[in-house]
Amino acid sequence: MFKKLLASVGIGAAKVDTILHTEHLLPGQTFQAEIVITGGNVDQDLSGLDLALMTRAKTETDDGERFVSHVIQQWRLSDQITLKAEEVIRLPFTGKLHNETPVTELPVTNNQCEVWLATGLNIDMALDASDRDPLYIYPNDAMKSCMAAMENAGYFMAKADVEKGHLKGGNFSSHSGIYQEIEFRPRSVSLFGVKEVELSFIPEAGQTHVLIELDRSFRGDSYASLTIPHTPEGLNHVPYQLEQLLR
C-alpha cells in the first residue's frame, strides 16, 4: 500500500515522522499510520506526543474576518518517552477522522478549505503551520448527490470555506466547533429569485444532515434542512427534495 511521509517534526535532538497509509480519505473514515521517533546524538526524555487533525477556519474579530488554525480532534500518542541516542521507536496508530472533517476536494476555483495532520509535543506545536502536510478529503455519496442535484437545477459551485461556530437543524447539531459552507449561485438570475444557496453537511453513520441557507432577492435569508439516508432510495430522492426547497 502506498505510504506518504505526512509530517516530519524535529523535537530537540529527536525527530518524529508520521507515515500515513493514504492521505486520500472521507469524513469519518478510519485510517492507519505509523509514528517513527528517531533519537539524536544524546539520550532524551519526551514529555508526550500528540497527533492533531487541523483545519483553517474563518472567524470574526474586531478588525474584521481572518482565518485561524482550528483543532478538529486530537489523539495522545504517548504520555512520556525515554529515547536513547540514535534509538528508533515505531508506534502503530489507528484513528478515525471526525465525521465533520471538511471536504477539500471540490470542483471550485475559490476553494478555501484545508485539512492536515500535525504531530507535536503539545497543541501549540500542532498549530505550527510549518509542520503541516495536507489531507485530501472527498465528499461522501450523499454530498455528491446534493452537488449533482444543484448542478442539474441550474446552479454552479462558486466558493467553499470553513467557519468557526456551530450549526443546528431541526433534528441535528454540529459538534466540532467549525462548519463548512459550500456556496452555489444560479446560472441565470431572476429579479425575485434565489441569489445564492449555501449548503453545510453534518455526516453521521448511516445518514448525512444538510443545512440549507437560501438568499432570495427582496426576501432575505431563509433556512431549511434535510436528512439523507445512506441508502439507494435516500440518495435517489435528493433531487426532488432540493427542487422543492429551492422553489
Side-chain angles (χ1 to χ4, degrees):
M1 182 179 294
F2 172 75
K3 294 187 177 182
K4 178 179 183 291
L5 179 64
L6 185 67
S8 181
V9 184
I11 301 173
K15 180 183 177 182
V16 181
D17 296 326
T18 299
I19 301 172
L20 197 66
H21 285 195
T22 178
E23 74 272 33
H24 298 271
L25 298 162
L26 296 171
Q29 184 174 342
T30 299
F31 66 94
Q32 285 78 40
E34 184 178 42
I35 316 302
V36 182
I37 309 168
T38 304
N41 297 325
V42 297
D43 294 355
Q44 187 175 0
D45 291 328
L46 304 183
S47 60
L49 196 61
D50 294 326
L51 188 67
L53 179 68
M54 312 286 298
T55 192
R56 193 172 69 111
K58 186 166 64 177
T59 186
E60 298 282 349
T61 69
D62 293 339
D63 299 323
E65 295 180 343
R66 67 185 181 95
F67 283 91
V68 297
S69 295
H70 177 83
V71 180
I72 303 173
Q73 64 189 126
Q74 183 180 356
W75 302 272
R76 172 48 62 107
L77 302 175
S78 176
D79 288 326
Q80 186 168 353
I81 300 173
T82 299
L83 189 65
K84 297 189 177 300
E86 300 183 355
E87 180 183 10
V88 177
I89 297 176
R90 297 179 179 272
L91 301 175
F93 176 76
T94 297
K96 182 177 181 293
L97 292 184
H98 199 290
N99 286 333
E100 296 170 26
T101 302
V103 173
T104 63
E105 302 312 288
L106 295 167
V108 60
T109 301
N110 191 2
N111 185 355
Q112 301 177 8
C113 305
E114 298 179 58
V115 174
W116 67 95
L117 282 176
T119 310
L121 285 177
N122 52 50
I123 208 58
D124 291 333
M125 183 173 293
L127 288 170
D128 185 353
S130 65
D131 296 337
R132 74 189 193 188
D133 285 278
L135 292 179
Y136 304 97
I137 310 299
Y138 293 82
N140 64 22
D141 288 342
M143 298 175 187
K144 289 190 286 188
S145 294
C146 283
M147 294 174 195
M150 292 297 295
E151 178 79 17
N152 292 334
Y155 292 80
F156 69 96
M157 191 182 298
K159 178 184 174 183
D161 65 16
V162 178
E163 301 194 12
K164 294 271 283 186
H166 294 83
L167 295 180
K168 189 171 181 60
N171 61 336
F172 63 89
S173 59
S174 64
H175 304 281
S176 61
I178 51 95
Y179 59 91
Q180 185 171 30
E181 284 190 341
I182 302 176
E183 179 184 309
F184 292 85
R185 295 176 186 169
R187 296 192 181 277
S188 59
V189 180
S190 63
L191 182 61
F192 297 100
V194 176
K195 295 194 301 182
E196 182 180 285
V197 180
E198 291 180 339
L199 301 184
S200 296
F201 299 101
I202 307 295
E204 294 179 352
Q207 61 186 5
T208 294
H209 305 292
V210 190
L211 185 66
I212 304 162
E213 181 179 351
L214 298 99
D215 181 6
R216 290 186 172 92
S217 299
F218 303 108
R219 293 171 58 185
D221 295 345
S222 63
Y223 294 86
S225 62
L226 59 90
T227 296
I228 306 170
H230 295 170
T231 63
E233 295 79 11
L235 298 176
N236 290 335
H237 196 48
V238 169
Y240 172 79
Q241 290 177 294
L242 281 177
E243 181 184 349
Q244 299 301 306
L245 292 174
L246 293 173
R247 288 182 173 179

